[in-house]
mmCIF file of all heavy atoms in Angstrom:
data_model
loop_
_atom_site.group_PDB
_atom_site.id
_atom_site.type_symbol
_atom_site.label_atom_id
_atom_site.label_comp_id
_atom_site.label_asym_id
_atom_site.label_seq_id
_atom_site.Cartn_x
_atom_site.Cartn_y
_atom_site.Cartn_z
ATOM 1 N N ILE Q 12 -41.532 188.502 -11.222
ATOM 2 C CA ILE Q 12 -42.073 187.359 -10.528
ATOM 3 C C ILE Q 12 -42.521 187.583 -9.096
ATOM 4 O O ILE Q 12 -43.574 187.100 -8.581
ATOM 5 C CB ILE Q 12 -40.982 186.236 -10.397
ATOM 6 C CG1 ILE Q 12 -40.400 185.955 -11.878
ATOM 7 C CG2 ILE Q 12 -41.658 184.894 -9.886
ATOM 8 C CD1 ILE Q 12 -39.291 184.955 -11.858
ATOM 9 N N ASP Q 37 -38.191 196.232 -1.274
ATOM 10 C CA ASP Q 37 -37.570 196.409 -2.712
ATOM 11 C C ASP Q 37 -36.852 197.727 -2.883
ATOM 12 O O ASP Q 37 -37.438 198.664 -2.370
ATOM 13 C CB ASP Q 37 -38.736 196.186 -3.727
ATOM 14 C CG ASP Q 37 -38.287 195.868 -5.196
ATOM 15 O OD1 ASP Q 37 -37.371 196.698 -5.739
ATOM 16 O OD2 ASP Q 37 -38.581 194.826 -5.758
ATOM 17 N N SER Q 42 -35.587 197.397 -12.820
ATOM 18 C CA SER Q 42 -36.547 196.548 -13.146
ATOM 19 C C SER Q 42 -37.806 196.457 -12.118
ATOM 20 O O SER Q 42 -38.699 195.827 -12.244
ATOM 21 C CB SER Q 42 -36.014 195.097 -13.330
ATOM 22 O OG SER Q 42 -35.529 194.652 -12.061
ATOM 23 N N TYR Q 151 -24.140 186.006 -13.888
ATOM 24 C CA TYR Q 151 -25.493 185.948 -13.283
ATOM 25 C C TYR Q 151 -25.596 184.603 -12.607
ATOM 26 O O TYR Q 151 -25.840 184.555 -11.305
ATOM 27 C CB TYR Q 151 -26.636 186.152 -14.276
ATOM 28 C CG TYR Q 151 -27.929 185.691 -13.844
ATOM 29 C CD1 TYR Q 151 -28.583 186.279 -12.774
ATOM 30 C CD2 TYR Q 151 -28.582 184.527 -14.399
ATOM 31 C CE1 TYR Q 151 -29.686 185.802 -12.230
ATOM 32 C CE2 TYR Q 151 -29.802 184.052 -13.903
ATOM 33 C CZ TYR Q 151 -30.376 184.768 -12.839
ATOM 34 O OH TYR Q 151 -31.673 184.267 -12.435
ATOM 35 N N LYS Q 155 -25.830 183.577 -8.616
ATOM 36 C CA LYS Q 155 -26.899 182.906 -8.036
ATOM 37 C C LYS Q 155 -26.499 181.535 -7.244
ATOM 38 O O LYS Q 155 -26.914 181.210 -6.206
ATOM 39 C CB LYS Q 155 -28.012 182.584 -9.026
ATOM 40 C CG LYS Q 155 -28.780 183.782 -9.534
ATOM 41 C CD LYS Q 155 -29.651 184.453 -8.666
ATOM 42 C CE LYS Q 155 -30.888 183.719 -8.083
ATOM 43 N NZ LYS Q 155 -31.740 184.665 -7.354
ATOM 44 N N ASN Q 181 -39.164 181.897 -16.902
ATOM 45 C CA ASN Q 181 -40.505 182.313 -16.724
ATOM 46 C C ASN Q 181 -41.007 183.304 -17.892
ATOM 47 O O ASN Q 181 -40.010 183.995 -18.420
ATOM 48 C CB ASN Q 181 -40.642 183.117 -15.452
ATOM 49 C CG ASN Q 181 -40.624 182.305 -14.216
ATOM 50 O OD1 ASN Q 181 -41.318 182.636 -13.153
ATOM 51 N ND2 ASN Q 181 -39.815 181.238 -14.215
HETATM 52 P P1 NAD R 401 -36.719 191.261 -11.875
HETATM 53 O O1 NAD R 401 -35.474 191.885 -12.263
HETATM 54 O O2 NAD R 401 -38.006 191.553 -12.590
HETATM 55 O O3 NAD R 401 -37.046 191.687 -10.361
HETATM 56 C C1 NAD R 401 -35.941 191.831 -9.377
HETATM 57 C C2 NAD R 401 -36.521 192.792 -8.257
HETATM 58 O O4 NAD R 401 -35.496 192.798 -7.270
HETATM 59 C C3 NAD R 401 -36.818 194.285 -8.746
HETATM 60 O O5 NAD R 401 -37.974 194.684 -8.269
HETATM 61 C C4 NAD R 401 -35.592 195.096 -8.131
HETATM 62 O O6 NAD R 401 -35.975 196.328 -7.784
HETATM 63 C C5 NAD R 401 -35.387 194.127 -6.866
HETATM 64 N N1 NAD R 401 -33.870 194.331 -6.448
HETATM 65 C C6 NAD R 401 -32.794 194.104 -7.127
HETATM 66 N N2 NAD R 401 -31.697 194.233 -6.326
HETATM 67 C C7 NAD R 401 -32.130 194.623 -5.110
HETATM 68 C C8 NAD R 401 -31.603 194.913 -3.930
HETATM 69 N N3 NAD R 401 -30.220 194.984 -3.731
HETATM 70 N N4 NAD R 401 -32.379 195.121 -2.838
HETATM 71 C C9 NAD R 401 -33.703 195.193 -2.827
HETATM 72 N N5 NAD R 401 -34.391 194.843 -4.024
HETATM 73 C C10 NAD R 401 -33.616 194.548 -5.124
HETATM 74 O O7 NAD R 401 -36.439 189.704 -11.766
HETATM 75 P P2 NAD R 401 -37.475 188.468 -11.878
HETATM 76 O O8 NAD R 401 -37.343 188.044 -13.213
HETATM 77 O O9 NAD R 401 -38.837 188.763 -11.166
HETATM 78 O O10 NAD R 401 -36.566 187.457 -10.954
HETATM 79 C C11 NAD R 401 -36.804 187.376 -9.476
HETATM 80 C C12 NAD R 401 -36.071 186.165 -8.932
HETATM 81 O O11 NAD R 401 -36.384 184.869 -9.629
HETATM 82 C C13 NAD R 401 -34.550 186.466 -9.096
HETATM 83 O O12 NAD R 401 -33.923 185.962 -8.059
HETATM 84 C C14 NAD R 401 -34.130 185.500 -10.256
HETATM 85 O O13 NAD R 401 -32.838 185.132 -10.216
HETATM 86 C C15 NAD R 401 -35.129 184.411 -10.099
HETATM 87 N N6 NAD R 401 -35.471 183.524 -11.368
HETATM 88 C C16 NAD R 401 -35.883 184.247 -12.468
HETATM 89 C C17 NAD R 401 -36.299 183.574 -13.572
HETATM 90 C C18 NAD R 401 -36.886 184.284 -14.782
HETATM 91 O O14 NAD R 401 -37.191 183.490 -15.717
HETATM 92 N N7 NAD R 401 -37.148 185.570 -14.750
HETATM 93 C C19 NAD R 401 -36.249 182.226 -13.565
HETATM 94 C C20 NAD R 401 -35.644 181.514 -12.488
HETATM 95 C C21 NAD R 401 -35.393 182.239 -11.275
#
Side-chain angles (χ1 to χ4, degrees):
I12 308 172
D37 196 301
S42 65
Y151 162 67
K155 290 297 289 188
N181 281 219

